[in-house]
Amino acid sequence: QVQLVESGGGLVQAGGSLRLSCAASGRTFSNRAMGWFRQAPEKEREFVAAISWNGGSIYYADSVKGRFTISRDNAKNTVYLQMNSLKPEDTAVYYCAAHGFTREIGVVAGQYDYWGQGTQVTVAS
């Protein structure tokens, strides 16, 4: 089992930055890919970024490429999402998730079995 708790969301002006953190508990965190997803009001949950268990593979949605950076610190059981040059369309609830299988990575929400409660990010224009 993996339990996840996100933090770091808030209100920011367009062009600003935020860093989200996701603290994990569970013995298999370091063996699992981690992903960030987001869901805006009346929209489906969408993929943002994913990082493999050892950080060797990283994927981004086209909409955030070049602006967001995902990273992880396995010693601290934490994954991060650094968000720069934020835009109003980045406004959403952001969720971190742990992949259902160890040492696999994916960009589809259904591949992730463990989810945090979400943290709100609001970007004002």
Side-chain angles (χ1 to χ4, degrees):
Q1 289 286 342
V2 179
Q3 295 180 324
L4 305 172
V5 179
E6 302 99 334
S7 61
L11 173 65
V12 64
Q13 295 292 316
S17 298
L18 283 173
R19 188 174 84 153
L20 306 183
S21 298
C22 174
S25 62
R27 293 180 297 172
T28 61
F29 168 81
S30 60
N31 285 334
R32 294 184 187 273
M34 298 295 295
W36 285 96
F37 294 79
R38 66 186 182 187
Q39 187 166 18
E42 300 183 356
K43 291 189 177 181
E44 292 188 357
R45 190 169 298 189
E46 65 174 359
F47 169 75
V48 175
I51 185 168
S52 62
W53 66 278
N54 62 354
S57 296
I58 289 176
Y59 300 94
Y60 295 102
D62 288 343
S63 58
V64 306
K65 204 171 292 184
R67 300 187 298 122
F68 291 10
T69 302
I70 188 171
S71 62
R72 67 188 298 160
D73 184 338
N74 285 346
K76 296 182 178 179
N77 275 14
T78 303
V79 63
Y80 304 97
L81 186 67
Q82 177 67 43
M83 305 186 295
N84 298 329
S85 303
L86 282 161
K87 304 175 181 179
E89 51 263 44
D90 294 318
T91 295
V93 177
Y94 283 71
Y95 299 89
C96 74
H99 200 283
F101 293 96
T102 58
R103 305 205 174 191
E104 292 190 16
I105 189 171
V107 301
V108 177
Q111 296 170 308
Y112 290 77
D113 283 357
Y114 307 99
W115 293 81
Q117 82 289 351
T119 185
Q120 177 71 47
V121 171
T122 302
V123 184
S125 57

